[in-house]
Amino acid sequence: MKKRLLTGLQPSGALHLGNYFGALKPFVDMYEDYESHLMVVDYHSLTTVRDGDLLRQNIIDIVKDYLAAGVDPEKVVLFKQSDVPQHTELAWIFECLVTVPFLQQAHAYKDKVAKGLEANAGLFNYPMLMAADILLYDTEIVPVGEDQRQHIEYAREATGKFNNAFGETFVPPQEKIYEAVGVVPGVDGQKMSKSYKNTIPLFGSEEEIQKAVMSIVTDSSGGRPEHVYAIHKLFRSEEELDQLYAEKEGKYKDLKEALIADIEAVIAPMREKRASITDDDVRAVLETGAQKARERAEAKMEDVRKKIGVSL
Ligand code: TYM
């Protein structure tokens, strides 16, 4: 029997190279060897997105991104979270099993509070919705970037809490984080992130990618521009790069142009494929995925409802 693999990305804005190398590409590289689920976690992005038309567009866009990046919808259950109400149902059950101090330790929540920003209750409960996403499908492996490590720990904690209270029901999941791409840096050297405005878009136009790469911060100490190199490493071996960066020592513009060419070589074919995918294609894929996911999620929830005592 194949092991079960699952991941999800938020439709909260255009995907960037961090999302691609940290999560989507690892998923694409491995999903055919597993029984795989790929989600659009639209309810998670409701913690930040407050515009229905924008969310609708983002959902369409991210599914196109998945398909263009090499996901074959025949070989995976590709669905959006909101189509499977069992996710929010199970999240509530987990919320009743964990404590407030435990959720207060979650990085995403803590960071927001530390910055003096208002955290909504959705953000606070976020890890339990994510635990539900994972555990509903008896997921064993979750390919993600480093910033999600704690969330997988939380999902394991939810597994333990539930199993202790109601008997063996859920499987503890394991994160799959590749060291080389666990934290993809942005144009300023910090982790690439929408909220830091330091991203290089995955499916940006050639001009947008050029602009982002040209904005990579370089210091004036000469030699190797570290932030350029760090991103370039995603596209070429260190051996090749060391030679190139030695030849072009101090020539930052040339090195950035070489990086743009390398990004283009990878993205251009995917961009072309993406342009051929219609909104109706996306709707059809999500419709099929929703049916399959709902069936599996409902089978699991029937067991859960019996165990907790709400189904008579
Ligand atoms: P999200 O939407 O913030 O990010 C999607 C994926 O991209 C990875 N990532 C990165 N990896 C390396 N370097 C970076 N700079 C970088 N930026 C983002 C993230 O680690 C993530 O894997 N909570 C999740 C979504 C989620 C989920 C799930 C994931 C909800 N339910 C169930 C897996 C399983 C999130 O906000 O990802």
Side-chain angles (χ1 to χ4, degrees):
M1 232 176 67
K2 284 184 175 177
K3 283 196 167 191
R4 283 170 301 265
L5 183 83
L6 171 146
T7 201
L9 293 89
Q10 293 193 55
S12 54
L15 292 189
H16 52 69
L17 293 185
N19 299 130
Y20 178 66
F21 284 101
L24 188 53
K25 184 171 184 296
F27 180 86
V28 169
D29 289 344
M30 66 198 293
Y31 81 102
E32 289 183 56
D33 296 331
Y34 295 82
E35 194 183 314
S36 297
H37 289 76
L38 178 60
M39 289 180 299
V40 177
V41 289
D42 48 356
Y43 274 152
H44 274 119
S45 57
L46 205 58
T47 58
T48 54
V49 183
R50 291 287 145 72
D51 176 336
D53 288 333
L54 178 66
L55 184 55
R56 222 181 323 279
Q57 189 59 51
N58 286 351
I59 292 169
I60 302 258
D61 284 343
I62 202 171
V63 175
K64 289 185 180 176
D65 294 348
Y66 289 171
L67 300 176
V71 174
D72 177 349
E74 302 286 326
K75 296 182 179 156
V76 60
V77 179
L78 198 172
F79 69 103
K80 76 173 148 67
Q81 190 185 36
S82 63
D83 280 335
V84 187
Q86 288 83 351
H87 288 239
T88 43
E89 183 184 0
L90 183 58
W92 170 257
I93 296 167
F94 289 151
E95 280 156 32
C96 295
L97 291 170
V98 296
T99 65
V100 168
F102 173 68
L103 290 179
Q104 277 171 331
Q105 296 308 312
H107 299 317
Y109 171 76
K110 250 174 45 178
D111 292 352
K112 203 139 201 176
V113 174
K115 283 185 195 143
L117 298 169
E118 194 183 73
N120 55 60
L123 183 74
F124 185 68
N125 289 320
Y126 186 112
M128 292 302 103
L129 180 56
M130 180 155 162
D133 296 340
I134 296 168
L135 301 186
L136 259 181
Y137 303 95
D138 294 324
T139 306
E140 291 159 283
I141 299 165
V142 189
V144 281
E146 183 62 44
D147 60 2
Q148 299 300 311
R149 184 186 292 279
Q150 189 194 35
H151 284 147
I152 315 301
E153 282 167 18
Y154 271 51
R156 279 197 293 274
E157 186 71 18
T159 308
K161 292 274 187 208
F162 190 99
N163 290 354
N164 279 338
F166 302 109
E168 284 304 309
T169 308
F170 293 110
V171 181
Q174 191 63 48
E175 66 277 6
K176 178 78 195 156
I177 301 172
Y178 291 96
E179 205 187 315
V181 290
V183 186
V184 171
V187 298
D188 57 359
Q190 289 192 80
K191 184 190 93 166
M192 189 178 287
S193 167
K194 276 163 231 159
S195 46
Y196 301 158
K197 300 194 169 28
N198 63 355
T199 61
I200 300 178
L202 172 60
F203 286 112
S205 63
E206 206 174 335
E207 295 74 48
E208 283 166 331
I209 290 174
Q210 256 170 11
K211 198 170 154 222
V213 170
M214 285 304 171
S215 78
I216 298 175
V217 177
T218 48
D219 60 24
S220 52
S221 63
R224 195 167 93 172
E226 292 301 336
H227 297 333
V228 182
Y229 187 92
I231 297 172
H232 219 155
K233 260 197 331 204
L234 301 165
F235 294 89
R236 270 182 197 270
S237 72
E238 291 194 34
E239 236 173 27
E240 285 175 301
L241 287 186
D242 288 345
Q243 200 184 338
L244 177 71
Y245 279 63
E247 274 167 26
K248 305 266 182 198
E249 197 182 326
K251 295 184 176 152
Y252 295 170
K253 187 156 178 286
D254 289 4
L255 289 168
K256 284 181 173 179
E257 275 165 4
L259 171 58
I260 291 167
D262 286 339
I263 296 178
E264 267 304 302
V266 171
I267 304 300
M270 294 202 282
R271 195 192 286 127
E272 201 173 309
K273 180 168 176 198
R274 194 180 184 286
S276 70
I277 303 166
T278 67
D279 292 8
D280 283 341
D281 294 337
V282 169
R283 288 191 190 95
V285 164
L286 288 179
E287 176 68 39
T288 309
Q291 276 171 20
K292 287 189 197 153
R294 270 198 297 262
E295 222 170 86
R296 292 180 188 186
E298 180 54 19
K300 191 75 191 174
M301 282 311 294
E302 277 171 17
D303 183 35
V304 169
R305 290 188 209 109
K306 258 190 220 130
K307 285 187 167 136
I308 63 171
V310 297
S311 76
L312 306 179

